[in-house]
């Protein structure tokens, strides 16, 4: 049989479908045949419809269960503390006012959801993270179902395993909206591919985009792949795109006070960008989505080159579902433009939908070319699944030392600071001055004596002092009672300011660096 190009297959869909079904044992789950090995027959039996959903649920359940355990044991880091403090405001009016004042750049719907679960779980460390845990599990299952429908059961399982190697799993045990971002993006793709273009489907699509924008501002970029697809089909007023646009406009209208306040503070330098957009970051972002998989892909490529079959295959045409999934790779370009023109922020977690598109598109591409290679497909599923599970087990073994991008080992830093409190107090230090807002927030949150902590910075504003009893210190305050202050991890601006005030610092402790004022 000659190799057939994808474009030519569009004229013979019936032939393609029949041959595709007949070529893969998982499409119809036939009984064991004489040409099948016992291993293939057993695996095909396990992947019958009544079993493959069980396998998918077990895999998703593993990540839900482990993420719940991690969530219950992990200390909050600074961004999560913003979520916790906002969700625990005394009433909804105060909560809204805090968001409108730019305390945190997270839309209100996520904070309300975190507030509900925080109260349900009696203000435990687990409560505010439960929405993320559940969203991760649901996102895994929706991804499985999308790819299962586009390929077959094993393809769906490969997609789940592929997703488990991405950075999405990390956000399944963090009290921030990114796992929910991914889940809603998966819902949008499922509705786009598998529902008709009628009023009900369009309304559902619009609701998903309204909810997504109310979870995170960058969710609106997820409309780009669908808009491009509609334009390619010359359907300028595609009902789903129109409904999604209406949902986004409605959400932005609700969020306008918060958007306007944050925008004004960015322009005024009150809110600084720790991750401004750049071409270098745009080039790196695609690798950052899957930090644990590059080596596995290299190994798989070498294995296929050595042992893969050289026979020619009939290649099915790219489906509309795979095509729109590939268009998700355009989102980082749009995020870069948005960052340059409006927000001045560009970071990989603001583009969670890209991971969904890559997982679906790559898995479908693989299936079209290698669906007949059952053993290789099974090997990919096992290797990817093992890589994802191994990283999750590594996190379980090191819950107290989970690395936070741009921060480092936040939990250890917090424990080190809290461990020094008694020593500093015995040495006569009544006040602890910190210029790192990360260390200040975590130490202040977990200490038993919050009155001792003061935050001093010429660049960063916490925005929380209006709603929480936080002390904002000053160089003049240190100069008035230098013997009572310990300066913790001072930045260059604080050091220069103290020197200009005629004060001298003597290093007393390390990790964190503690200076006494003379």
């Amino acid at each position: 049989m000659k190799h057939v190009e994808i474009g030519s297959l569009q004229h013979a869909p019936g032939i393609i479908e029949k041959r595709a079904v007949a070529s893969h044992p998982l499409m119809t789950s036939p009984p064991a045949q004489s040409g099948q090995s016992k291993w293939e027959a057993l695996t095909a039996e396990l992947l019958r419809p009544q079993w493959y959903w069980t396998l998918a649920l077990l895999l998703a359940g593993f990540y839900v269960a482990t993420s719940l355990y991690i969530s219950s044991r992990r200390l909050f880091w600074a961004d999560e503390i913003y979520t916790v403090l906002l969700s625990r405001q005394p009433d909804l009016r105060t909560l809204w006012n805090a968001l409108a004042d730019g305390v945190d750049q997270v839309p209100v719907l996520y904070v309300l959801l975190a507030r509900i679960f925080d109260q349900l779980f009696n203000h435990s460390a687990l409560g505010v993270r439960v929405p993320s845990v559940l969203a991760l599990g649901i996102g895994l299952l929706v991804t499985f179902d999308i790819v299962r429908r586009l390929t077959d059961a094993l393809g769906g399982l490969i997609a789940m395993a592929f997703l488990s190697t991405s950075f999405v799993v990390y956000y399944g045990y963090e009290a921030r909206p990114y796992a929910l971002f991914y889940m809603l993006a998966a819902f949008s793709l499922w509705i786009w591919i598998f529902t008709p273009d009628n009023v009900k489907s369009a309304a559902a699509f619009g609701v998903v985009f309204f909810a997504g924008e109310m979870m995170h501002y960058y969710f609106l970029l997820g409309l780009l792949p669908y808009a491009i697809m509609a334009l390619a089909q010359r359907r300028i007023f595609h009902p789903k795109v129109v409904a999604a646009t209406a949902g986004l406009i409605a959400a932005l209208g609700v969020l306008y006070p918060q958007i306007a306040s944050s925008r004004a503070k960015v322009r005024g330098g009150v809110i600084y960008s720790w991750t401004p957009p750049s071409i270098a970051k745009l080039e790196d972002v695609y690798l950052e989505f899957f930090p644990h998989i590059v080596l596995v892909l290299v190994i798989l490529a070498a294995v296929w080159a050595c042992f893969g079959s050289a026979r020619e295959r009939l290649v099915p045409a790219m489906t509309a579902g795979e095509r729109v999934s590939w268009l998700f790779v355009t989102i980082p370009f749009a995020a870069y433009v948005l960052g340059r023109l409006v927000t001045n922020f560009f970071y990989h977690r603001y583009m969670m939908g890209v991971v969904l598109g890559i997982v679906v598109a790559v898995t479908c591409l693989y299936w079209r070319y290698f669906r007949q290679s059952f053993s290789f497909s099974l090997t990919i599923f096992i290797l990817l699944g093992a890589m994802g599970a191994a990283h999750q087990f590594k996190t379980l073994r090191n819950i107290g030392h989970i690395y936070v991008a741009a921060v480092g080992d936040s939990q250890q830093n917090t424990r080190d600071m809290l461990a020094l409190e008694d020593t500093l107090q015995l040495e006569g230090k009544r006040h602890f001055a910190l210029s790192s807002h990360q260390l200040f927030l975590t130490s202040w949150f977990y200490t038993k004596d919050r009155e001792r902590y003061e935050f001093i910075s010429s660049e960063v504003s916490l925005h929380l002092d209006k709603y929480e009893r936080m002390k904002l210190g000053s160089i003049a305050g240190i100069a008035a009672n230098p013997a009572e202050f310990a300066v913790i991890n001072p930045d260059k601006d604080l050091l220069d300011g103290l020197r200009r005030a005629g004060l001298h610092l003597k290093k007393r402790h390390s990790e964190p660096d503690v200076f006494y004022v003379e």
Side-chain angles (χ1 to χ4, degrees):
M1 182 184 296
K2 293 183 178 180
H3 180 84
V4 182
E5 294 297 331
I6 293 175
S8 64
L9 295 176
Q10 295 174 350
H11 303 290
I15 295 175
I16 297 303
E17 291 176 3
K18 291 178 182 177
R19 297 203 178 193
V21 170
S23 66
H24 201 298
L26 303 184
M27 295 298 294
T28 56
S29 298
Q33 300 176 5
S34 58
Q36 284 185 314
S37 67
K38 292 182 178 179
W39 174 248
E40 287 179 336
L42 175 60
T43 306
E45 178 66 26
L46 289 175
L47 290 173
R48 287 179 182 272
Q50 62 267 36
W51 284 106
Y52 61 68
W53 268 108
T54 300
L55 292 174
L57 287 168
L58 287 173
L59 187 56
F62 164 75
Y63 285 100
V64 168
T66 52
S67 296
L68 284 172
Y69 183 76
I70 295 168
S71 297
S72 67
R73 302 289 298 275
R74 180 189 180 192
L75 295 181
F76 292 120
W77 72 287
D79 282 14
E80 292 184 292
I81 290 174
Y82 277 101
T83 299
V84 174
L85 295 179
L86 283 169
S87 66
R88 294 178 184 176
Q89 291 302 302
D91 52 61
L92 296 181
R93 174 180 286 275
T94 306
L95 188 156
W96 173 255
N97 289 339
L99 289 172
D101 283 344
V103 168
D104 194 10
Q105 284 67 60
V106 174
V108 64
L109 182 58
Y110 172 70
V111 182
L112 290 175
L113 189 63
R115 181 184 181 91
I116 291 170
F117 279 87
D118 185 52
Q119 293 175 354
L120 285 175
F121 286 81
N122 197 27
H123 307 300
S124 67
L126 177 62
V128 290
R129 289 170 172 153
V130 167
S132 295
V133 176
L134 297 178
L136 174 63
I138 295 171
L140 281 162
L141 292 174
V142 175
T143 303
F144 165 77
D145 193 54
I146 291 172
V147 178
R148 176 190 70 84
R149 290 167 180 262
L150 294 174
T151 60
D152 57 31
L154 185 54
L157 292 171
I158 289 173
M160 290 185 78
F162 188 12
L163 178 58
S164 74
T165 67
S166 74
F167 76 147
V168 173
V169 174
Y170 167 85
Y171 293 102
Y173 45 82
E174 182 169 291
R176 299 299 279 176
Y178 304 108
L180 290 129
F181 188 139
Y182 180 88
M183 179 191 73
L184 290 168
F187 281 152
S188 75
L189 185 58
W190 193 99
I191 294 170
W192 178 270
I193 298 174
F194 303 118
T195 62
D197 296 332
N198 55 27
V199 174
K200 290 183 179 179
S201 299
F205 201 67
V207 168
V208 167
F209 270 85
F210 174 82
E213 188 65 15
M214 294 289 286
M215 288 288 176
H216 197 278
Y217 294 115
Y218 274 58
F219 193 87
L220 59 85
L221 298 178
L223 183 58
L224 182 62
Y226 306 117
I228 294 174
M229 194 70 173
L231 288 174
Q233 297 171 348
R234 299 181 180 178
R235 301 180 65 185
I236 298 177
F237 297 103
H238 192 293
K240 290 177 182 175
V241 173
V242 171
T245 303
L248 290 173
I249 292 173
L252 292 172
V254 173
L255 298 172
Y256 179 76
Q258 190 177 351
I259 295 171
S261 175
S262 296
R263 180 65 179 151
K265 290 185 177 182
V266 168
R267 288 178 175 175
V270 179
I271 298 176
Y272 80 104
S273 176
W274 54 273
T275 176
S278 68
I279 294 296
K281 289 181 180 178
L282 179 59
E283 292 173 346
D284 292 341
V285 73
Y286 292 96
L287 291 177
E288 294 172 350
F289 293 136
F290 297 91
H292 314 300
I293 198 176
V294 175
L295 182 60
V296 175
L297 293 180
V298 171
I299 294 172
L300 287 173
V303 170
W304 180 253
C306 293
F307 304 106
S309 172
R311 63 185 178 181
E312 296 179 338
R313 293 176 173 82
L314 185 66
V315 181
M318 184 185 297
T319 65
E322 180 184 343
R323 195 181 304 276
V324 75
S325 297
W326 280 116
L327 292 175
F328 277 71
V329 299
T330 63
I331 292 176
F333 294 94
Y336 171 78
V337 173
L338 181 64
R340 293 285 295 182
L341 298 179
V342 181
T343 66
N344 201 33
F345 283 89
F346 181 87
Y347 201 57
H348 56 59
R349 65 188 179 207
Y350 304 157
M351 298 165 272
M352 299 295 286
V354 180
V355 177
L356 170 70
I358 292 174
V359 166
V360 174
V362 170
T363 308
C364 289
L365 176 66
Y366 165 81
W367 178 86
R368 286 192 294 111
Y369 280 89
F370 302 108
R371 66 194 184 282
Q372 294 172 323
S373 304
F374 179 82
S375 298
F376 190 60
S377 297
L378 194 61
T379 300
I380 287 180
F381 169 61
I382 293 172
L383 279 178
L384 293 180
M387 281 292 295
H391 186 74
Q392 191 77 340
F393 279 122
K394 181 180 178 181
T395 303
L396 285 170
R397 292 195 302 270
N398 297 279
I399 293 176
H401 300 278
I402 296 174
Y403 179 83
V404 178
V407 177
D409 193 345
S410 174
Q411 295 182 91
Q412 187 60 52
N413 295 339
T414 303
R415 288 191 293 266
D416 289 342
M417 181 64 231
L418 297 178
L420 272 175
E421 287 184 344
D422 290 342
T423 299
L424 298 180
Q425 292 178 37
L426 287 173
E427 294 179 358
K429 305 305 174 184
R430 299 178 56 192
H431 306 285
F432 311 146
L434 294 86
S435 56
S436 165
H437 85 284
Q438 297 280 348
L439 185 58
F440 172 81
L441 270 177
T442 55
S443 302
W444 173 89
F445 185 81
Y446 284 106
T447 186
K448 296 180 179 179
D449 191 357
R450 293 180 173 179
E451 293 296 320
R452 292 185 178 274
Y453 283 82
E454 297 187 14
F455 179 69
I456 303 178
S457 177
S458 60
E459 294 185 354
V460 182
S461 176
L462 292 174
H463 315 295
L464 276 166
D465 54 287
K466 181 178 176 181
Y467 301 93
E468 299 288 340
R469 295 181 61 184
M470 294 180 175
K471 285 187 176 181
L472 301 182
S474 65
I475 292 176
I478 296 176
N481 297 287
E484 296 182 356
F485 275 86
V487 180
I488 318 296
N489 282 355
D491 60 16
K492 183 177 183 301
D493 288 340
L494 179 55
L495 289 173
D496 291 343
L498 291 171
R499 292 192 183 102
R500 286 194 298 269
L503 301 173
H504 301 281
L505 298 181
K506 181 179 180 181
K507 190 171 183 179
R508 176 63 175 165
H509 301 282
S510 298
E511 296 184 358
D513 291 334
V514 179
F515 296 85
Y516 287 175
V517 185
E518 297 178 347

